[in-house]
Amino acid sequence: MPEAKQAGEARDGWEWVEPTVWTERMLSALEEGVKGGKWYSLMDKVYRMPNLMSAYKEVKRRKGGAGVDHETMEMIERELNENLRKISRELASGEYRPRAIKRTWIEKAGSREKRPLGIPTVRDRIAQAALRHVLEPIFERDFAEQSYGFRPKRGSKDALRRVNKLLEAGNHWVVDADLKSYFDTIPHERLMARVEEKVSDGRVTELLRAYLTQDVMESMASWSPEEGTPQGAVISPLLSNIYLDELDHKMAEHGYEMVRYADDFVILSRSREEAEEALEEVKRWTAKAGLTLHPEKTRIVDARQEKAGFDFLGYHFERGMKWRRKKSLKKLKETIRRKTKRNNGRSLQVIIKDVNRTTRGWFEYFKHSHKTTFKPLDGWIRRRLRTILRKRKRQRGQAKTMRDHLRWPNAYFEEQGLITLESALVEARQSSTR
């Protein structure tokens, strides 16, 4: 028989779980495996007040607006304990019913297209967060290694490092796959069957079904979805990973090197034949799972060839180099344009601080791009700032002349505190070699 773990040992590797739910005893059961592989009696963990309080704090950190009931976080907080107790009572009694989701449309990065975003009520977001606290460790325990999206202690940079490593090892034939409207097309019954493989608490599965089928309201119209899980709902990322986990394991069993972040994935192979076999396997699985590969966006490329690379998580990989995607740069410029309009009435120092906040975050993610990315961008930002200064001197047009450059040289903007991406790159590379 295995030796009993000392107090605290069961939490090794599980530091991220909700401690008001996952006790040492529960974590030990999670690691050792529960009888029959299924979990019962989970709802009482969901509606406990400490869990709901933790869920509320999480929802508050993430911010977000009111749902269809127009109830804001501030309104919930006025009588916080009583509001959480009400959610607890309704979950315990089975009276809890999710409100409709408010659908809005947001712009896609660097595109004229828009994508739907669902906004649940604040109460529903709190209840969903409490439910996720209970369910996530159960499924996280067996999730495949090559999945990186919406998972604790993992992120997009980990996925990008894995892609880099595989390319450097000679896996340059790439299946660049695109699941068409994945979140909107997940079949409810098949998804619930995956959940029920590990969860046998009927009240929990009933609550999940209620979330999947809750009405969607857009303008004055409303409808009940027959498939999909709404983007924007707290529970959706976990459900999306649960449904694709079978594909993750199938690819691993066949020896294919897949890297997945949510519904975005690539498969890296050493030969075209292997890539074609992998793609056929994905096609068979998606057809069986009720999903669709986008016929125009799914392709096989040789990443060694010029103009034949692939995009993944904001980067473009081609000929052994990594570039930021054109869409990523376009989105950055759109943001900076809004902050550097010629008629901006704020002081130059305030404008620069605002620009720095944007460029600092962008650079942190894209600092591994090819070095030629940064110098032109620095120059473009300075021209935007010089144009503002021209306007204040009652001069028309954009700052493009040598006279403008001499009047406000690069050093002038550095003195005002402007971050230069080229200098940030040098400093980042020096830090990495220390």
Side-chain angles (χ1 to χ4, degrees), residues 258-392:
M258 184 169 83
V259 181
R260 181 174 70 80
Y261 189 96
D263 60 334
D264 192 4
F265 64 90
V266 289
I267 304 169
L268 296 96
S269 308
R270 290 183 174 273
S271 67
R272 184 178 186 89
E273 292 73 23
E274 183 182 339
E276 289 173 347
E277 290 170 4
L279 180 55
E280 286 304 311
E281 192 65 44
V282 172
K283 287 179 178 178
R284 284 192 290 270
W285 185 87
T286 52
K288 183 181 176 182
L291 302 174
T292 305
L293 285 172
H294 200 298
E296 296 174 1
K297 296 181 179 180
T298 300
R299 62 204 181 106
I300 294 175
V301 299
D302 182 352
R304 297 171 301 180
Q305 302 300 314
E306 186 174 358
K307 297 181 180 180
F310 63 98
D311 295 335
F312 188 60
L313 299 180
Y315 276 94
H316 179 75
F317 295 84
E318 183 181 312
R319 291 176 297 153
M321 291 180 283
K322 188 163 61 171
W323 311 75
R324 65 359 190 205
R325 289 179 65 187
K326 291 180 180 179
K327 285 184 177 180
S328 306
L329 182 58
K330 184 178 180 181
K331 183 180 178 182
L332 173 68
K333 285 188 170 184
E334 287 172 354
T335 302
I336 292 177
R337 281 192 185 98
R338 289 194 297 270
K339 297 183 175 187
T340 57
K341 291 181 179 179
R342 277 182 288 182
N343 58 357
N344 194 316
R346 301 179 299 172
S347 71
L348 183 64
Q349 289 82 3
V350 171
I351 294 171
I352 285 174
K353 283 182 180 179
D354 198 12
V355 169
N356 284 347
R357 280 193 290 269
T358 298
T359 55
R360 189 181 288 113
W362 190 87
F363 176 78
E364 185 58 32
Y365 189 79
F366 289 103
K367 63 186 176 184
H368 302 292
S369 298
H370 194 270
K371 62 182 180 180
T372 56
T373 295
F374 304 104
K375 186 175 181 179
L377 187 53
D378 282 331
W380 179 83
I381 292 171
R382 285 190 291 264
R383 284 196 299 275
R384 296 287 302 178
L385 296 174
R386 289 188 183 107
T387 299
I388 293 174
L389 295 173
R390 276 179 62 90
K391 174 76 172 177
R392 294 178 181 179

Side-chain angles (χ1 to χ4, degrees), residues 15-225:
E15 298 85 358
W16 57 271
V17 302
E18 174 52 47
T20 65
V21 173
W22 288 91
T23 62
E24 294 290 325
R25 181 180 176 185
M26 283 188 67
L27 285 173
S28 294
L30 180 66
E31 287 202 335
E32 295 166 10
V34 293
K35 186 176 181 180
K38 293 191 176 186
W39 289 78
Y40 300 82
S41 303
L42 293 173
M43 181 56 83
D44 64 309
K45 319 292 190 299
V46 177
Y47 62 70
R48 284 179 182 166
M49 280 294 291
N51 184 29
L52 287 170
M53 181 61 75
S54 177
Y56 146 75
K57 292 177 181 177
E58 178 183 319
V59 171
K60 183 178 181 179
R61 283 195 303 272
R62 294 178 180 273
K63 301 181 180 180
V68 295
D69 61 356
H70 307 292
E71 190 172 40
T72 63
M73 181 62 71
E74 291 74 19
M75 295 165 68
I76 288 281
E77 289 174 334
R78 287 173 195 161
E79 297 182 18
L80 180 59
N81 288 331
E82 180 52 38
N83 284 323
L84 294 183
R85 279 195 289 268
K86 183 179 179 183
I87 296 172
S88 178
R89 287 194 302 269
E90 291 179 353
L91 287 170
S93 66
E95 296 174 0
Y96 175 87
R97 295 291 181 273
R99 297 284 187 92
I101 287 180
K102 181 170 72 175
R103 171 170 280 193
T104 186
W105 293 83
I106 60 175
E107 294 182 357
K108 286 186 175 182
S111 172
R112 293 182 179 180
E113 297 180 17
K114 293 186 176 183
R115 66 180 179 88
L117 179 68
I119 304 176
T121 65
V122 175
R123 292 171 187 264
D124 284 343
R125 298 206 294 271
I126 292 171
Q128 285 190 24
L131 178 60
R132 198 194 72 236
H133 288 169
V134 174
L135 293 180
E136 189 170 29
I138 294 172
F139 292 93
E140 178 65 30
R141 174 183 182 270
D142 299 316
F143 276 161
E145 183 66 26
Q146 64 267 42
S147 165
Y148 294 89
F150 307 126
R151 293 185 61 187
K153 301 170 72 173
R154 286 171 167 246
S156 54
K157 291 184 179 180
D158 300 304
L160 290 166
R161 278 192 284 268
R162 180 60 181 162
V163 168
N164 256 341
K165 187 175 181 180
L166 289 168
L167 287 170
E168 290 169 358
N171 298 276
H172 48 77
W173 284 98
V174 181
V175 177
D176 184 9
D178 185 278
L179 287 171
K180 191 174 181 180
S181 302
Y182 171 62
F183 282 87
D184 293 330
T185 58
I186 301 174
H188 287 172
E189 290 307 314
R190 293 177 185 178
L191 171 60
M192 289 307 303
R194 304 275 167 82
V195 172
E196 289 167 356
E197 288 173 1
K198 296 186 178 182
V199 176
S200 286
D201 187 324
R203 291 190 295 171
V204 167
T205 55
E206 184 179 337
L207 181 58
L208 280 174
R209 287 180 187 276
Y211 283 132
L212 291 173
T213 57
Q214 66 191 115
D215 287 348
V216 176
M217 185 173 291
E218 183 177 358
S219 298
M220 299 301 292
S222 66
W223 68 93
S224 298

